[in-house]
Amino acid sequence: MKQAQTGDKVAVHYRGTRSDGAVFDSSLERDPIQFTIGGGEVIAGFDDALVDMAVGDTKTVIIAPEEAYGPRNPELVHVVERNQLPAELDLKVGAQLQATDPNGNELRLVVAELAGDNVTLDANHPLAGESLTFEITLQEFVD
């Protein structure tokens, strides 16, 4: 039976949970995701978990932050004055905002704290710094 290797295009179902067991994403209610193993389309630990799996195999893996969304970077947390942001923004803790950096790259920011006239914005990935558990089932090899 064929085993998955780097360079293979595959279709997989998965369920991702945080360390507290909360599900953060799942493909089980939709079509499986398709990607090329080692192609940089998914986090490195997810890619690595598929190597040597056969169609129908299910595996549960815990992926460390370094192989997922990286460690939390305190340099990506910024405090700005409220008047530096568009007045029409309805700011609440947890709200997600989009911005563009000086190089034209799109940034996703989360309002982490509101304190007086200051707003703390966090540009870390929401799952940065977390070990993630994935249950992965290899559905098929895709041509």
Side-chain angles (χ1 to χ4, degrees):
M1 183 171 277
K2 181 176 178 175
Q3 293 183 308
Q5 299 300 317
T6 299
D8 288 338
K9 186 166 183 178
V10 295
V12 303
H13 269 304
Y14 68 91
R15 185 172 70 102
T17 57
R18 293 180 145 144
S19 57
D20 65 1
V23 175
F24 65 85
D25 195 14
S26 174
S27 70
L28 299 177
E29 301 299 321
R30 57 185 190 263
D31 290 337
I33 62 168
Q34 295 184 12
F35 61 94
T36 301
I37 298 173
E41 300 165 66
V42 297
I43 58 175
F46 196 95
D47 257 342
D48 294 345
L50 283 156
V51 172
D52 293 333
M53 287 181 70
V55 170
D57 285 353
T58 297
K59 179 189 284 188
T60 299
V61 294
I62 297 173
I63 300 175
E66 296 74 21
E67 296 295 311
Y69 295 98
R72 289 195 52 74
N73 181 348
E75 292 180 15
L76 296 178
V77 178
H78 301 281
V79 177
V80 298
E81 290 183 17
R82 174 64 177 98
N83 63 11
Q84 291 182 300
L85 301 172
E88 67 273 6
L89 286 179
D90 182 22
L91 295 177
K92 295 179 180 151
V93 172
Q96 293 188 13
L97 310 174
Q98 289 186 339
T100 305
D101 73 11
N103 297 323
N105 299 312
E106 188 174 295
L107 299 173
R108 186 172 60 185
L109 307 167
V110 174
V111 177
E113 183 179 355
L114 299 170
D117 291 335
N118 292 326
V119 179
T120 302
L121 300 173
D122 187 348
N124 282 287
H125 188 282
L127 296 172
E130 293 193 43
S131 290
L132 306 174
T133 301
F134 284 93
E135 182 179 279
I136 304 167
T137 302
L138 178 57
Q139 298 293 307
E140 65 180 316
F141 291 96
V142 180
D143 295 326

